[in-house]
Amino acid sequence: MSNPDELLRIEGIRKSFPGVVALDGVDFDLRRGEVHVLLGENGAGKSTLIKMLSGAYTPDAGRILAGGEEVRIHGAQDSERLGIATIYQEFNLVPDLTVAENIFLGRQPRRFGMIDRKKTEADAEVLLERVGVHVSPRARVRELGIARLQMVEIAKALSLDARVLIMDEPTAVLTSEEVEKLFAIVRQLRADGVGIVFITHHLEEIAALGDRVTVIRDGKSVGQVPAGTPEDELVRLMVGRSIEQQYPRERGETGGALLSVHGLTRDGVFHDVSFEVRAGEVVGIAGLVGAGRTEVVRAVFGADPYDKGAVKVSGTALRRSDVNAAMAAGIGLVPEDRKGQGLVLDASVEENLGLVTLRKATRAGIVDLKGQHAAAGRIAGQLGVRMAGLGQHVRTLSGGNQQKVVIGKWLLADTKVLILDEPTRGIDVGAKVEIYQLINELTAAGAAVLMISSDLPEVLGMSDRVLVMAQGRIAGELAADEATQDSVMALAVSTPGTPAAPAPATPTTTDKEAGRGH
């Protein structure tokens, strides 16, 4: 082995699936005690590459070397034996088991041939403390929120005592405080000699944590650069072109109120929430985690109940807790958890695109399959969904293309008011701009968009007005020309009903923190 610090090397890896070349001659290496960032758009081949290392896929050509020796990885056991642990974007946890049982699943400590539950829980508690999450090892996983689930996944990976740790978008669902805790863990692991493959779409994280960056585009490794490389150059390598304007909002004339919310209240969750969204307008909702943003829009959509208040579309009041009534009135919701709530993962692209319009396309119990197929093809083409065909399972699409499918089903339904909850979470910069352009097209056609995002620059860049929530209430409203990171954050940390603290003269919120909205 030419470099004694080299833990892993990939040479000329190629992998094809029917109709698609996922990887075509990719090279990559990882050294002891470094964070090597793997960067690329959704669909570039990053997930396929890490699945090679975890044993989910085997390469068609090329080779993998560990410690200078060529190895074959045919499954998860081979990967673990080589000291490789992978934290996937999709949680790999069993909901009905406890946190401790999930962390040590299949590897629980034993005593006299029986599982030593006490030691399992004690060992799990040590790992949970290490990742800085306050949760009982006896808690059922189904009881945890998304951020805590992510930290349990990290604790599970740490329990393997891996020499190589692969982290696929580990910060996508974390608050800035949790991100800093994670970064501290990663830095300590790096100091301990662990090699870390870090996949992220947050470009500001690369300079903060990385050592080297390998960029993959269209299944090929197109460059390896230092982590301090300017973001503009990283974007150019990723997408093959420069993106001059990150938030291309096209503001035009607005019409009358399409969505009106008056005094919406759910005891203990949100209180006296009132706002309007007009035709041709994007209204952003900013706030800290727990401010009640998602809960409010789910109530507007009829997915969750509320105790008082009213929701109107074009002046007509909607029945409470009635999703069908909301949909019939022209409201669509792209949920925060697109895989769990927005898609049927084992159904095809065509089937997912037709979910909302299926009832309208059915006459006397017979579905107009030809019409549904034509409509799905038209909208998939309009959105530029990258796929092998309409019959491809949506599970196999990249994150950005899955999001296009979620949005596409509402476009087919001629939605008047589209609610977007974290619309670009886990999506690369190129796909983000495509989503923003789609928002522009919707508002230009007279639709109204209500957008929740924890990416504060995104809220500022794409909103015509910004509503800031704090403690379940609207703390304030800012026009686009007066909304800044500091003015939004001042409202987000205020106590509604009392004057917000004035924004500081010099910024105290870093771009990274503000971008998380926490």
Side-chain angles (χ1 to χ4, degrees):
M1 182 175 176
S2 58
N3 185 348
D5 287 330
E6 187 175 277
L7 294 172
L8 195 66
R9 175 172 288 275
I10 292 168
E11 295 179 347
I13 286 290
R14 180 181 172 86
K15 181 66 179 178
S16 297
F17 300 99
V20 178
V21 178
L23 295 174
D24 187 11
V26 170
D27 299 319
F28 179 83
D29 68 280
L30 180 68
R31 300 167 190 162
R32 192 184 317 275
E34 79 161 345
V35 176
H36 195 148
V37 178
L38 193 59
L39 191 63
E41 291 191 273
N42 287 117
K46 305 186 303 296
S47 294
T48 302
L49 182 60
I50 64 175
K51 285 178 180 177
M52 299 275 191
L53 297 174
S54 65
Y57 296 152
T58 54
D60 298 332
R63 61 179 190 157
I64 300 171
L65 297 92
E69 301 292 328
E70 187 170 351
V71 296
R72 299 280 190 273
I73 304 176
H74 296 294
Q77 288 185 333
D78 288 343
S79 182
E80 289 181 14
R81 180 176 49 80
L82 291 167
I84 301 171
T86 304
I87 302 171
Y88 289 106
Q89 254 185 294
E90 301 85 6
F91 301 133
N92 190 24
L93 301 170
V94 183
D96 289 325
L97 296 183
T98 67
V99 169
E101 288 167 339
N102 269 280
I103 289 174
F104 292 104
L105 189 61
R107 301 175 290 113
Q108 296 98 322
R110 293 180 176 269
R111 188 179 184 192
F112 305 124
M114 305 288 289
I115 291 175
D116 188 340
R117 187 175 300 276
K118 188 174 181 180
K119 179 168 173 52
T120 300
E121 292 174 354
D123 290 350
E125 194 159 18
V126 170
L127 289 165
L128 292 168
E129 287 177 3
R130 187 176 175 189
V131 300
V133 61
H134 302 294
V135 60
S136 169
R138 293 178 291 281
R140 299 284 173 185
V141 159
R142 66 169 177 266
E143 300 167 358
L144 305 183
I146 290 177
R148 286 185 171 183
L149 290 174
Q150 177 69 83
M151 301 308 275
V152 170
E153 281 278 23
I154 294 168
K156 180 180 175 181
L158 295 181
S159 74
L160 295 168
D161 196 24
R163 295 188 299 276
V164 173
L165 183 60
I166 302 169
M167 309 182 86
D168 187 6
E169 293 283 351
T171 67
V173 295
L174 304 183
T175 67
S176 66
E177 182 180 353
E178 289 162 338
V179 168
E180 288 306 323
K181 288 179 181 176
L182 173 64
F183 281 11
I185 294 164
V186 171
R187 291 182 183 112
Q188 183 58 55
L189 290 170
R190 176 170 59 187
D192 293 341
V194 176
I196 296 155
V197 181
F198 197 90
I199 298 174
T200 183
H201 289 140
H202 296 288
L203 299 183
E204 74 278 2
E205 293 178 354
I206 296 173
L209 193 66
D211 296 300
R212 290 187 293 159
V213 182
T214 289
V215 182
I216 296 180
R217 185 173 76 236
D218 297 331
K220 297 180 172 65
S221 42
V222 295
Q224 186 181 107
V225 295
T229 299
E231 289 187 9
D232 288 350
E233 176 63 13
L234 293 176
V235 170
R236 189 192 64 76
L237 285 169
M238 283 174 65
V239 302
R241 63 186 187 279
S242 62
I243 296 180
E244 301 297 333
Q245 188 179 6
Q246 194 170 3
Y247 303 106
R249 176 68 184 133
E250 296 170 4
R251 295 182 173 90
E253 295 295 321
T254 58
L258 289 183
L259 176 67
S260 302
V261 177
H262 301 284
L264 212 63
T265 298
R266 182 178 175 188
D267 292 341
V269 182
F270 50 82
H271 183 76
D272 196 25
V273 173
S274 300
F275 60 87
E276 290 184 340
V277 189
R278 296 186 286 269
E281 179 179 48
V282 177
V283 172
I285 306 183
L288 306 182
V289 166
R293 299 169 300 168
T294 292
E295 290 80 1
V296 165
V297 299
R298 283 180 57 83
V300 168
F301 185 62
D304 290 341
Y306 56 91
D307 301 313
K308 291 188 294 185
V311 177
K312 297 181 180 180
V313 177
S314 299
T316 302
L318 297 184
R319 292 191 300 273
R320 295 184 189 181
S321 306
D322 191 335
V323 170
N324 288 330
M327 290 167 57
I331 300 181
L333 171 65
V334 175
E336 177 182 17
D337 180 6
R338 63 175 171 264
K339 292 185 178 180
Q341 300 172 355
L343 295 166
V344 180
L345 292 176
D346 288 322
S348 68
V349 172
E350 179 177 343
E351 289 165 333
N352 272 275
L353 285 170
L355 284 174
V356 180
T357 54
L358 185 60
R359 181 175 297 180
K360 290 182 180 178
T362 303
R363 294 288 184 275
I366 299 174
V367 180
D368 178 9
L369 295 176
K370 186 176 181 180
Q372 286 285 87
H373 179 78
R378 174 176 56 80
I379 204 70
Q382 179 186 332
L383 298 181
V385 178
R386 297 178 187 174
M387 58 184 179
L390 288 172
Q392 183 177 349
H393 278 193
V394 79
R395 179 189 297 277
T396 63
L397 298 180
S398 67
N401 286 298
Q402 286 179 347
Q403 190 73 328
K404 289 178 184 179
V405 172
V406 179
I407 295 173
K409 70 181 182 183
W410 294 114
L411 296 186
L412 280 177
D414 294 323
T415 300
K416 295 180 185 176
V417 179
L418 185 61
I419 302 171
L420 301 170
D421 193 352
E422 303 290 358
T424 64
R425 174 173 284 170
I427 293 176
D428 61 75
V429 289
K432 280 184 179 182
V433 172
E434 292 178 347
I435 298 295
Y436 299 150
Q437 294 287 15
L438 179 57
I439 291 172
N440 285 335
E441 291 172 17
L442 284 166
T443 54
V449 174
L450 181 64
M451 181 179 74
I452 294 173
S453 178
S454 295
D455 184 341
L456 189 46
E458 177 175 84
V459 173
L460 299 177
M462 289 302 297
S463 301
D464 302 306
R465 287 184 293 128
V466 179
L467 304 174
V468 185
M469 288 193 68
Q471 300 177 32
R473 298 174 182 258
I474 300 290
E477 177 182 319
L478 300 166
D481 58 1
E482 63 181 1
T484 64
Q485 292 182 358
D486 289 325
S487 63
V488 170
M489 291 303 292
L491 286 168
V493 299
S494 69
T495 301
T498 62
T506 55
T508 58
T509 305
T510 66
D511 286 346
K512 186 174 114 24
E513 290 168 336
R516 301 259 171 206
H518 304 298

